[in-house]
Each structure stands twice: as structure tokens, then as C-alpha cells.
Amino acid sequence: MDIQLDKITKTEALIKIKVSETDYQPKVEEKIREYSRKASIKGFRPGKVPQGMIRKMYGKSILVDEVNHMLSHKVSDYIKDNKLEIIGEPLPNVEKAQDIDWDVQKDFEFEYNVGLVDEFSIDLSKKVSVTSYSIKVDKKLIAETVENLKNQFGDTTDQEIAAEGDNLFGVLKAEDDAKEESIVLYADKLSPKEAKKLVGLAKGAIVDVDIKKLFKEESDLAIALGITKDEAKKLKGKYTFEVKNISRVAKAEVNQELFDKTFGKDAVKSNEEFEQKIKETISENYQQETDMFLDRSIRNELIKNTKLELPDSFLKSWLLRTNEGQLTPEDIEKEFDAYTKELKWSLIRNKISKDQDLKIEHEDVMEEARKLIRRQLAGSGMGSQFESSIDMFVNNYLQGENGDNYMKVHNQVQTLKVMEYIKSQVTIKSKEVSLDDFRDLPMN
């Protein structure tokens, strides 16, 4: 058997394999003898079926199976022995394979397209600079939070006619689109001019609204419709709003009862302690969000500044063939940029991990899984009462999905270690911003 690699470009190549009769015939004959011993054919005793009959009946399918089996192992071994760093999986040349005459030919030639990872370097120096943001918890944000808590813990009643300050649930519909969106119009999020149009409306009323002016902030419109800010910016045209329900909130008083409902019995006992606790809680809540933003910024900066060529045409063919019937060429084109971005980050992450010998031990995976399970238990209100059984939960989780859960957590640990190393090498600037300014930062 002869095998060779023909490079087409830096990132694409052909693995060519020539198979002769001497390569496969011993295995084929062995299979025919095995079939002869096991076959059950009318007119012959078990184990006495002539090999010639087996060859005539099953010889071609045995030949095809054995050659394909040999090819699979040979290609895999060749990639491993030659330390080829490939992307995806080798794609057989289907057209060439279809031209084979298995009844006549004794020798065969096969081709496999492969995508290769070209050598690349990563700049991890102080010249690489990213910004770490922290949320400035000012008096305005604290006051807004107090108002939200007063509404949250206030008494709500249904109304027949909308008055100023009422919240309205209903259906938003574009004039040129049959699609309807359920939406809640919270009074404190609406622009004063548009809010006046809602006063005096009854259930079932339909009113024209200016989608661009309905809310004080585009971010509030995005949240109300469950879309991104960029998607909210693109909304235009005339809309109608049909009132389905009207609710009125009698705001809670800022007193010990509100303190207890918010933070637990006697956790705070004065307005000053209440506002300080709110400030601490806001900072903690946004810490995870700002940490995620920093990690995303680092990832995007490295992707942007790392010269990493990918075999685009191969990848599109591979994605189409491996997702046959599930993805169209149009689907792949639409999502290809996002896919290659994730692929580049995976290659960068793996290279840093390998170059820096960032080992991941089984206990690292266990500890990360413990954190995951503890968060899930806490979120469901079960918390510390199951702490003694935590490792049982962890083992059950890591063994699930045929080992996929283990690899998922393993990759999370790898990413954490890689990020920790990157942060120790690059320049990270700190900047305090308001919540509104943070929300306006580009997220991609």
C-alpha cells in the first residue's frame, strides 16, 4: 500500500492512497473462510458451504468492506505518524470512488481532502492591551434600584382603565407585518410623551405608537422584546399596541418590612445600611458580567491580532457533508464567520495550553464540576443541605452524555487556565464606568 501527501495550499492537501491486490487479498480470503464456517444456506450443512459459493454471493461486499476498513486505519495512522495537525476530518473523494469497478479492478486509488493548520504565533506581550471595566454604583443607580424594589414588593391590582403610572400588558404589531409580539409596557421605562397616549385606555383598546420614541432608552425596548440592542435599532415603521391587561402597583414603603423582604430578617436595620447593602449587591452581581466581558475582549483581541489562515473551502465542504440534510450552503455562509471565529479561538487556546504545558488534572475537573453543581443547587434553593453528597452528584454528572459532560468541564478548566496565563502576560487597564455606559459597549 502506497500513501503520500500532496499539498495544494498551506492549509489544504490531498492524501493519496494506492491499494494493490496483495494488500487486501489475505484479509478477504480470511473473511470468506469465516463466512463459509458460519453461513447457513439451504442444501448445505452448517460449516460446509463451499468457499466458491461464498465468494460468488458475498465476495464483492467483503472486498469493499475490507478495503474501506484498511483505508480508515491507514489514513488515521498516517495522520498520527506524520503529526499532521488537521481540522475536521478527512473527506473522501466520492466521485473518484464511484468510478471504481469492483468486479474488474484489482488495484485501486483513493483520495482524501484534508484541512491543515498552518504554523502561527501568538503575541502575548505587554503590547497587547485590553480594558477591564467595573460598574460605578452611583446614587442614581442606587435610587433606581430602590424604586425597582418598591415596585417589586408593592401590592399589584388589576385595573379597567389605565391611569398615569400604570403598567400595561398587550400585543405590539407592526403595520406591515402580521407577526405579533407580547410585551409589557412598564410606566417608568416609557418616554413621558408616549406614556400620555396610554392614559385613559381600557382593555381591548388599540393605539398607534412610535416604536422609536416609545421607550426612554433603546436598551429598554430591547429588553421588553427580548432582542439585542442592534436589533432594536433596526426597528422602524408604524406600530399598534392592543391593551390586554392593566396593572397598578402601590409601591412598598421604605421601612423594615422592605429591608427584610429584600435581604432577609434583620440583615439591615436602617436606610443607610439598606443603601450600602444594595451597593455591595449590585457590585457583586455585575462582577461576573464584567469578568465575562474582559474574557471576551481578550479572546477577540487575540483572534484579531493572530495571523491564522484557515482552509475555508475545505471547511465549508466538510460542514455541508457532515451535516447533510441539516444545513444548506446558504446556512453555512450565513454562520461561517461566527464558526471560524470560534475555531480560531479554539486553536489559539490549545496552542497556548500546549506551549505553556498547562496540565489539567482529574481533580481540576472535579473541583470545577463541584462549583457548577453547587451553583445549580443554590439556584434551586437546596444549597448546603446536599454538601455531603456533592461528589456523588459530580460523578453522576461527569459520567453523563457518554463522557461529553466530562470533556465539556475539561475544556472549561483549560479555558480558565489559559485565560489566567494570558492575563499575566498582557496589559490590562482598569476603567470605572456607569451601568448605562457599560451596556453601550460593543459586546462582540
Side-chain angles (χ1 to χ4, degrees):
M1 187 180 295
D2 178 56
I3 184 167
Q4 67 181 49
L5 182 75
D6 288 351
K7 274 203 167 187
I8 302 170
T9 66
K10 289 180 180 180
T11 58
E12 293 192 46
L14 283 176
I15 294 178
K16 295 183 176 181
I17 305 175
K18 292 182 179 179
V19 180
S20 65
E21 188 176 15
T22 56
D23 295 321
Y24 61 79
Q25 196 59 32
K27 286 287 186 181
V28 170
E29 292 300 323
E30 183 183 332
K31 278 289 184 184
I32 288 174
R33 288 193 294 272
E34 184 181 331
Y35 270 53
S36 178
R37 291 193 301 270
K38 296 180 178 180
S40 178
I41 297 177
K42 190 174 181 180
F44 296 93
R45 285 182 297 163
K48 298 297 182 179
V49 179
Q51 292 182 21
M53 180 174 286
I54 295 295
R55 186 176 288 105
K56 184 177 180 180
M57 294 176 66
Y58 304 111
K60 183 177 176 179
S61 62
I62 291 173
L63 170 62
V64 173
D65 287 346
E66 285 305 314
V67 170
N68 284 332
H69 182 74
M70 290 176 65
L71 288 171
S72 175
H73 283 278
K74 190 66 177 177
V75 170
S76 179
D77 291 344
Y78 181 83
I79 291 169
K80 183 179 178 181
D81 294 343
N82 290 273
K83 297 179 180 178
L84 298 180
E85 192 169 354
I86 69 168
I87 295 176
E89 298 167 355
L91 290 179
N93 186 325
V94 177
E95 292 180 359
K96 193 175 184 69
Q98 286 175 342
D99 290 338
I100 292 174
D101 188 340
W102 294 96
D103 294 313
V104 177
Q105 286 181 236
K106 301 296 183 184
D107 299 331
F108 311 100
E109 292 185 11
F110 300 90
E111 288 182 354
Y112 289 82
N113 290 84
V114 290
L116 303 174
V117 180
D118 194 23
E119 290 187 7
F120 65 96
S121 59
I122 307 166
D123 182 9
L124 290 178
S125 67
K126 295 301 179 183
K127 291 187 294 183
V128 179
S129 178
V130 291
T131 302
S132 174
Y133 294 95
S134 59
I135 304 298
K136 180 181 176 182
V137 185
D138 54 19
K139 291 182 179 180
K140 177 175 177 284
L141 183 54
I142 292 173
E144 288 176 354
T145 305
V146 171
E147 285 301 307
N148 289 337
L149 291 170
K150 287 164 65 177
N151 283 320
Q152 180 182 341
F153 293 109
D155 293 325
T156 302
T157 55
D158 288 339
Q159 303 294 316
E160 294 300 321
I161 304 294
E164 186 177 347
D166 287 348
N167 302 319
L168 279 68
F169 168 77
V171 174
L172 191 67
K173 181 180 177 182
E175 190 178 63
D176 57 353
D177 191 352
K179 186 179 178 182
E180 297 181 343
E181 296 283 354
S182 295
I183 188 173
V184 179
L185 303 183
Y186 290 104
D188 60 336
K189 302 297 182 183
L190 302 179
S191 66
K193 185 176 180 181
E194 292 298 305
K196 285 182 180 179
K197 295 180 180 179
L198 307 176
V199 175
L201 294 181
K203 293 179 183 178
I206 298 175
V207 61
D208 293 331
V209 293
D210 187 333
I211 197 67
K212 287 293 186 184
K213 298 178 181 177
L214 183 58
F215 288 84
K216 294 176 184 176
E217 305 287 344
E218 274 183 345
S219 58
D220 293 327
L221 172 60
I223 292 169
L225 288 174
I227 58 178
T228 67
K229 280 188 67 175
D230 287 339
E231 289 171 330
K233 285 179 181 178
K234 295 176 184 177
L235 294 180
K236 59 183 179 180
K238 295 181 179 180
Y239 281 74
T240 60
F241 176 73
E242 181 181 359
V243 182
K244 295 292 186 181
N245 195 47
I246 304 164
S247 64
R248 184 172 301 164
V249 178
K251 293 182 180 181
E253 296 290 329
V254 180
N255 52 27
Q256 191 62 47
E257 183 180 359
L258 181 61
F259 303 161
D260 292 346
K261 285 181 177 179
T262 305
F263 294 115
K265 181 71 173 171
D266 294 331
V268 295
K269 295 184 177 181
S270 68
N271 284 346
E272 291 75 16
E273 290 181 9
F274 186 51
E275 292 187 0
Q276 180 59 33
K277 188 70 172 176
I278 287 173
K279 184 175 182 178
E280 292 170 2
T281 304
I282 291 173
S283 296
E284 290 171 6
N285 289 345
Y286 283 106
Q287 184 65 51
Q288 184 179 7
E289 195 170 337
T290 54
D291 286 347
M292 289 174 61
F293 189 92
L294 174 60
D295 288 353
R296 190 161 53 245
S297 298
I298 289 172
R299 189 190 75 158
N300 291 343
E301 189 69 19
L302 292 184
I303 291 172
K304 183 178 71 175
N305 293 326
T306 301
K307 190 176 180 182
L308 206 174
E309 189 176 343
L310 295 177
D312 289 356
S313 60
F314 168 82
L315 283 171
K316 290 175 183 178
S317 298
W318 177 70
L319 288 168
L320 188 62
R321 197 179 299 185
T322 53
N323 295 279
E324 190 174 0
Q326 298 176 331
L327 290 177
T328 66
E330 291 75 23
D331 294 330
I332 291 171
E333 286 294 336
K334 183 179 177 181
E335 301 296 333
F336 194 67
D337 285 346
Y339 170 77
T340 54
K341 192 173 181 181
E342 287 297 325
L343 179 56
K344 285 179 179 180
W345 169 240
S346 178
L347 292 170
I348 290 168
R349 183 189 65 200
N350 290 341
K351 180 173 174 59
I352 293 173
S353 183
K354 181 180 177 182
D355 290 349
Q356 302 306 319
D357 196 23
L358 302 177
K359 297 187 183 302
I360 300 164
E361 307 294 344
H362 174 68
E363 182 54 32
D364 296 328
V365 177
M366 287 289 292
E367 184 55 34
E368 186 63 23
R370 288 185 191 108
K371 293 177 184 176
L372 172 67
I373 299 299
R374 286 186 181 113
R375 285 196 296 269
Q376 291 177 343
L377 290 173
S380 60
M382 291 186 282
S384 59
Q385 67 196 77
F386 288 102
E387 183 61 30
S388 61
S389 304
I390 194 75
D391 279 357
M392 180 189 71
F393 289 126
V394 165
N395 285 321
N396 288 340
Y397 173 75
L398 293 177
Q399 291 168 16
E401 302 295 329
N402 296 318
D404 285 349
N405 287 345
Y406 190 94
M407 289 310 303
K408 188 188 301 181
V409 179
H410 183 281
N411 290 337
Q412 289 172 356
V413 174
Q414 184 194 46
T415 298
L416 289 170
K417 290 198 173 191
V418 167
M419 275 295 180
E420 185 179 357
Y421 175 76
I422 294 171
K423 290 172 184 176
S424 72
Q425 301 298 306
V426 303
T427 299
I428 299 178
K429 300 176 182 176
S430 297
K431 185 176 182 180
E432 189 178 55
V433 294
S434 69
L435 180 57
D436 288 341
D437 287 342
F438 179 74
R439 285 174 172 165
D440 285 337
L441 292 171
M443 301 301 284
N444 295 323

